[in-house]
Amino acid sequence: MAGKRNKPLTRFYDELCDHYRMNPTRNNTGIAHENGAIESPHGHFKRRLRQALYLRGSFEFESIKVYQAFITEVVEKLNARCSQKFEVEKQHLQPLPSYRYPDYEELTTRVSCHSTIEVRCILYTVPSRLIGQQLTLHLYHDRLVGYLGKTQVVELPRLRVADPAKSRRARCINYRHIIAGLRRKPRAFLYCTWQGEILPTEQWRALWQQMGNQFDPDSAARLMVEALYIAATQNKETAVAEYLQAQLQQQSLTLAGLQRYFQLLSETVLPSLDIQQHELSPYDQLLGSAHEPEFAQPLPASQFSPQTTASVPHAQPLAEFRSQGDSGAMVIQSVLALHYAN
């Protein structure tokens, strides 16, 4: 395919070849069979993988990680056929560079006031503490890793549109990122356009329908938001859903009961304090005569002058230094001076 979309890919491929000191080649235009060296092994591998799935008896896997391990096992069996030839070829290969070429694309984005970022027409939620921050994203084939400066702050699964012909836009919503802010305004859940994506599973969506039938909209929204908050903060998504299911069947679900069951309304009991007054006798040791210095002995009355104040000649009156903003009368008191006899 021609056009601008191929130009960045060509640049990235040129940088990859430069890094590993390879000489890229291309086939002749219009000569389709020259692609067979690459396309034919791809077809063989797809058929082998399909046969392995038939022998397994099921196409269902517990997670992507388990499916990736299954694919790796099939690849290792296929590569085992040419392992001896590869060992011979490795002796003639040049050494690898000291560092690996990055297998990601670097992007920069700013977190919106709704705690979201948009990457390749896909809307992702991030933790609300990152609102307003500029993130550096490493875009891998299966995930997005966000950095604030040099610190990794978020990792998200990369979402791809199943049918690009219909719409390239999609949303990847994680209720754990936004539930703290939504808890402060639970009625916003009623009018949120992400309502379907906020509810994590089909079981939670069914619970929301049952709440709407038993409660008024405001009460139902508050119950659901509180349940999601407990599931996120305590990592009890399944346990909270089972509790809601049981209480809805009994028609006994209440907000206080939900919080009490998961110990969010545990009564705070202040401990009783029994404070004993310490003895005052140690202070008598500090004030006793044994600890008084010799110069602290009282002087006889004949060794100091009478309590008279001598006038100081040439002393300027203090009133001359008063500013207009000073208020009140100034009182000058005499200071007793003790003169020790020689």
Side-chain angles (χ1 to χ4, degrees), residues 30-281:
I31 309 301
H33 66 84
E34 293 183 357
N35 294 328
I38 299 300
E39 294 181 355
S40 181
H42 285 177
H44 296 332
F45 172 71
K46 291 180 180 179
R47 284 191 294 269
R48 286 178 177 272
L49 181 60
R50 190 180 301 109
Q51 292 297 326
L53 290 172
Y54 289 150
L55 293 175
R56 183 176 179 269
S58 174
F59 282 58
E60 300 294 333
F61 291 87
E62 298 177 358
S63 61
I64 297 178
K65 184 178 180 180
V66 177
Y67 179 58
Q68 186 63 46
F70 179 80
I71 295 177
T72 302
E73 183 180 354
V74 176
V75 171
E76 290 178 350
K77 290 182 179 180
L78 181 61
N79 291 338
R81 302 176 57 184
C82 57
S83 59
Q84 295 181 355
K85 295 181 179 179
F86 179 66
E87 292 297 331
V88 175
E89 185 177 355
K90 281 200 306 184
Q91 300 176 4
H92 303 279
L93 296 177
Q94 60 183 353
L96 292 174
S98 57
Y99 61 93
R100 181 180 178 181
Y101 186 78
D103 56 346
Y104 57 84
E105 183 180 355
E106 187 170 314
L107 303 174
T108 302
T109 184
R110 186 173 295 277
V111 182
S112 70
C113 60
H114 302 292
S115 188
T116 59
I117 58 175
E118 187 170 351
V119 181
R120 301 289 171 80
C121 300
I122 307 296
L123 189 70
Y124 297 87
T125 57
V126 297
S128 56
R129 66 178 183 275
L130 300 177
I131 291 178
Q133 299 292 338
Q134 185 170 348
L135 301 182
T136 300
L137 299 179
H138 290 180
L139 183 62
Y140 295 87
H141 72 285
D142 60 343
R143 67 190 188 279
L144 281 73
V145 182
Y147 293 86
L148 186 60
K150 298 295 183 180
T151 304
Q152 179 179 338
V153 292
V154 65
E155 181 174 349
L156 305 170
R158 184 175 179 181
L159 187 65
R160 300 179 185 275
V161 180
D163 190 0
K166 294 182 178 179
S167 175
R168 294 181 57 195
R169 296 189 174 275
R171 291 191 291 258
C172 181
I173 307 299
N174 189 339
Y175 72 94
R176 293 179 175 86
H177 295 159
I178 60 176
I179 194 61
L182 192 60
R183 189 180 184 226
R184 293 191 290 268
K185 297 180 179 179
R187 294 186 71 252
F189 181 77
L190 295 173
Y191 310 102
C192 183
T193 57
W194 310 337
Q195 188 181 103
E197 290 90 345
I198 291 176
L199 299 173
T201 61
E202 290 296 334
Q203 182 183 10
W204 282 85
R205 298 183 183 96
L207 291 173
W208 172 242
Q209 295 295 333
Q210 296 179 31
M211 289 182 184
N213 297 331
Q214 293 189 17
F215 302 95
D216 60 276
D218 291 347
S219 300
R222 189 171 184 183
L223 281 169
M224 178 56 68
V225 170
E226 188 68 17
L228 290 173
Y229 176 79
I230 296 173
T233 54
Q234 301 186 14
N235 196 21
K236 296 179 180 179
E237 183 177 303
T238 303
V240 175
E242 292 176 354
Y243 173 83
L244 295 177
Q245 184 68 41
Q247 295 298 314
L248 286 172
Q249 291 179 357
Q250 300 174 7
Q251 296 186 356
S252 59
L253 179 62
T254 61
L255 180 62
L258 173 65
Q259 295 175 334
R260 188 178 301 107
Y261 184 83
F262 291 96
Q263 299 180 355
L264 287 184
L265 282 182
S266 57
E267 297 181 358
T268 303
V269 179
L270 297 178
S272 59
L273 301 178
D274 186 12
I275 302 176
Q276 299 292 336
Q277 178 64 40
H278 61 278
E279 298 292 337
L280 299 179
S281 57

